[in-house]
Amino acid sequence: PVITYLIQLRVRLAALMLRDTELSITEILHRVGFNDHTHFGRTFRKHTGYSPREYRKHFCWMLH
């Protein structure tokens, strides 16, 4: 379904921004089309296995 594709796309874009920028998580979630922190966190974890903060900690090259 289209909605599933859009959610996956938003999560992938958020993951790229978490990995490759120093934008705040709030800024990222708004840029990819989420309005609620809790919903974004749950959706991101469902698709990646990590919370947004954990994902950034593990994969952001700027933090290493």
Side-chain angles (χ1 to χ4, degrees), residues 10-28:
R10 288 174 172 174
V11 169
R12 275 187 258 142
L13 289 170
L16 286 172
M17 286 188 234
L18 287 165
R19 189 188 72 204
D20 296 337
T21 74
E22 293 181 328
L23 293 171
S24 71
I25 292 171
T26 301
E27 179 66 25
I28 291 170

Side-chain angles (χ1 to χ4, degrees), residues 12-64:
R12 275 187 258 142
L13 289 170
L16 286 172
M17 286 188 234
L18 287 165
R19 189 188 72 204
D20 296 337
T21 74
E22 293 181 328
L23 293 171
S24 71
I25 292 171
T26 301
E27 179 66 25
I28 291 170
L29 75 91
H30 288 297
R31 286 187 183 203
V32 298
F34 286 90
N35 295 314
D36 179 84
H37 285 268
T38 304
H39 179 62
F40 174 68
R42 274 195 219 116
T43 303
F44 193 88
R45 184 182 292 278
K46 178 182 173 185
H47 288 272
T48 67
Y50 296 95
S51 72
R53 182 169 278 118
E54 291 168 340
Y55 188 90
R56 176 168 268 167
K57 183 179 176 185
H58 288 326
F59 299 107
C60 183
W61 61 272
M62 289 180 272
L63 298 178
H64 299 282

